């Protein structure tokens, strides 16, 4: 094989592999619904669309229910915009890079992004079809923080269990119904169970019509928040 | 080469050196150890499960409302209330039509669904810490952000939270 053809062949083989490595994914857009039920019976439903571009680092929710509102998480602020006017601006830690969207686009969802933090993988076990990793906080943080256990099935994040420092379960999350869109695997459903004093509350997040790396609709992925200040 | 077979032979070699009257005790102890190990594994595996029937029951009404909204896109709670739609009462609107009052608990003024569903462990941690001591944690988070911007840490918690800032994707 001539060098030119060999190079082309390698390029053709390597390109999907590089893409599968997650470096090529930048945008995700999906319809979202979040259903919550508290132990006292209080229920809530939030529906709309979410757009995220990992270069812009803005999580933008175009909510339609209960009311039409746009929520923009940008830098250290969360803006709520109704009918073009900012109805509130809240100061927050920067959130975008810790979102499920960013983790999925950057191929760090499988370990919940913990491999890039001071948490350390303490133990790894295989149990049936699950690979379970126990992550422990750094020594300096063991007073306020507990361990986190992560279960991976079929190389996809399945479950996350959060403990308090006394090893009491605080929260369980399950990532289910994965959908592969344009080669990117993203959960269609996240089940979250919070446990306080043994009493459970539930939250189910559903993603539908997931679109990856949508080429158009740039304005959907960036909100000019500077114009709002 | 058969590493597994070699190990078995080695174990057998030591086993036959144990006095006869001790062998039953060793066997029993080994059995207990194996059962213990198996139970531990099952316990871990059981952590990653939930009662789907209970969850389904808990979400039944909201599923109904969600189904209606999927069939009637663009419908707001206000529209449903004005139309007298009985499904509107499922979400327990008690304070007019205010989106933020209808979503989950608020931490630092941010609804829980933003913290919980769309953020990873950082959101969980913040909610947990705020639940412990809202005022101090709020100050710590603000200190963390300010400290990060200035390149300094401001408290122990800020330092803990500061580790988030080191994440580079």
């Amino acid at each position: 094989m001539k060098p030119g053809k060999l190079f082309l062949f390698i390029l053709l083989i390597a390109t999907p592999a590089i893409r599968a490595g997650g470096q090529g994914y930048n945008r995700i857009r999906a319809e979202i619904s979040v259903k919550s039920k508290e132990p006292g019976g209080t229920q809530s439903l939030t529906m709309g669309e979410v757009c995220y571009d990992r270069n812009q680092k803005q999580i933008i929710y175009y909510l339609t229910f209960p009311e039409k509102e746009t929520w923009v998480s940008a830098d250290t602020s969360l803006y709520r915009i109704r009918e073009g006017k900012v109805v509130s601006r809240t100061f927050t830690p920067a959130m975008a890079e810790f979102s499920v969207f960013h983790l999925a686009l950057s191929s760090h969802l499988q370990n919940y992004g913990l491999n890039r933090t001071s948490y350390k993988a303490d133990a790894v076990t295989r149990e049936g079809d699950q690979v379970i990793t126990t992550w422990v906080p750094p020594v300096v943080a063991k007073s306020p923080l507990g361990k986190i256990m992560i279960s991976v099935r079929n190389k996809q994040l399945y479950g996350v269990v959060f403990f308090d420092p006394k090893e009491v379960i605080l929260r369980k999350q399950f990532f289910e119904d994965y959908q592969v869109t344009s080669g990117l695997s993203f959960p269609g459903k996240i089940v979250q169970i919070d446990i306080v004093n043994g009493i459970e509350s539930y939250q189910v997040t559903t993603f539908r019509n997931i679109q990856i790396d949508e080429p158009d609709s740039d304005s959907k992925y960036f909100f000019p928040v500077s114009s709002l200040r | 080469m058969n590493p597994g077979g070699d190990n078995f032979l080695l174990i057998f070699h030591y086993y036959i050196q144990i006095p006869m009257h001790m062998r039953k005790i060793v066997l029993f102890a080994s059995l207990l150890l194996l059962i213990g190990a198996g139970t531990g594994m099952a316990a871990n595996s059981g952590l990653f499960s939930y009662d789907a029937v209970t969850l389904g029951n808990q979400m039944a009404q909201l599923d109904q409302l969600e189904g209606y909204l999927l069939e009637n896109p663009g419908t707001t709670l206000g529209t449903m209330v004005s139309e007298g739609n009985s499904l509107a009462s499922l979400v327990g609107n008690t304070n007019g039509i205010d989106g933020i009052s209808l979503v989950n608990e608020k931490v630092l003024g941010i609804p829980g669904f933003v913290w919980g569903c769309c953020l990873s462990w950082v959101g969980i941690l913040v909610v947990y810490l705020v639940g412990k001591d809202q005022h101090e944690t709020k100050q710590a988070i603000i200190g963390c952000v300010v400290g990060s911007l200035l390149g300094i840490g401001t408290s122990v918690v800020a330092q803990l939270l500061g580790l988030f800032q080191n994440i580079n994707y």
Side-chain angles (χ1 to χ4, degrees), chain A residues 33 35 38 43-44 46 61 66-67 90 92 98-100 108 116-117 127 141 145 171-172 176 205 208, chain B residues 41 45 47 50 61 63 66 77-78 90 97 102-104 108 110 117-118 120-121 124-125 160 168-169:
Chain A
S33 76
K35 293 171 282 186
E38 298 299 311
Q43 301 184 121
S44 68
T46 307
Y61 300 92
E67 286 302 308
T90 311
T92 73
F98 310 117
S99 68
V100 68
H108 290 294
R116 300 294 191 94
T117 71
E127 297 179 20
L145 304 181
R171 175 171 287 185
K172 292 183 175 185
E176 303 175 343
T205 304
R208 298 184 180 86
Chain B
M41 286 174 67
S45 197
L47 277 176
Y50 63 91
Q61 290 183 322
D63 286 342
E66 184 186 26
L77 186 60
L90 295 179
I97 309 303
L102 296 172
V103 288
N104 219 338
L108 305 181
I110 301 168
C117 84
C118 298
S120 62
W121 60 286
I124 310 305
L125 177 63
L160 301 179
N168 295 308
Y169 293 101

Side-chain angles (χ1 to χ4, degrees), chain A residues 49-67:
Chain A
E49 185 180 55
V50 60
C51 296
Y52 180 71
D53 183 324
R54 74 168 174 156
N55 297 310
Q56 302 293 352
K57 292 187 173 59
Q58 290 186 345
I59 306 172
I60 307 175
Y61 300 92
Y62 299 97
L63 300 182
T64 55
F65 189 88
E67 286 302 308

Side-chain angles (χ1 to χ4, degrees), chain B residues 20-81:
Chain B
M20 188 65 79
H21 68 280
M22 292 288 288
R23 286 185 190 176
K24 281 185 181 176
I25 296 170
V26 171
L27 269 176
F28 183 66
S30 304
L31 190 63
L32 283 179
L33 278 174
L34 282 172
I35 290 170
T39 308
M41 286 174 67
N44 267 350
S45 197
L47 277 176
F48 295 97
S49 65
Y50 63 91
D51 187 340
V53 175
T54 300
L55 181 69
N57 291 337
Q58 293 286 334
M59 292 292 153
Q61 290 183 322
L62 290 172
D63 286 342
Q64 193 182 355
L65 176 58
E66 184 186 26
Y68 173 81
L69 292 168
L70 288 172
E71 286 177 6
N72 300 276
T75 304
T76 63
L77 186 60
T79 309
M80 293 178 72
V81 169

Side-chain angles (χ1 to χ4, degrees), chain A residues 62-110:
Chain A
Y62 299 97
L63 300 182
T64 55
F65 189 88
E67 286 302 308
K68 285 187 175 132
E69 274 190 357
T70 301
W71 293 16
V72 182
S73 168
D75 295 326
T76 55
S77 294
L78 177 69
Y79 300 85
R80 285 177 56 219
I81 300 148
R82 191 183 293 177
E83 295 175 350
K85 294 179 182 174
V86 179
V87 292
S88 76
R89 178 186 172 191
T90 311
F91 188 55
T92 73
M95 302 197 293
E97 292 187 8
F98 310 117
S99 68
V100 68
F101 315 113
H102 193 95
L103 291 175
L105 291 171
S106 57
S107 297
H108 290 294
L109 185 58
Q110 191 185 89

Side-chain angles (χ1 to χ4, degrees), chain A residues 156-172:
Chain A
Q156 293 171 330
L157 176 66
Y158 170 64
V160 184
V161 181
F162 298 85
F163 295 82
D164 74 2
K166 294 178 180 173
E167 306 229 334
V168 175
I169 297 174
L170 294 171
R171 175 171 287 185
K172 292 183 175 185

Side-chain angles (χ1 to χ4, degrees), chain B residues 124-142:
Chain B
I124 310 305
L125 177 63
V126 170
V127 171
Y128 170 66
L129 290 175
V130 169
K132 289 276 182 181
D133 190 328
Q134 187 161 358
H135 177 72
E136 284 192 10
T137 309
K138 183 176 180 179
Q139 295 305 313
I141 291 169
I142 292 169

Side-chain angles (χ1 to χ4, degrees), chain B residues 88-125:
Chain B
S89 63
L90 295 179
V91 286
N93 178 22
T94 56
N95 189 25
I97 309 303
D98 182 356
I100 205 159
S101 70
L102 296 172
V103 288
N104 219 338
E105 78 275 13
K106 290 188 281 180
V107 174
L108 305 181
I110 301 168
F113 97 88
V114 174
W115 286 123
C117 84
C118 298
L119 300 176
S120 62
W121 60 286
V122 175
I124 310 305
L125 177 63

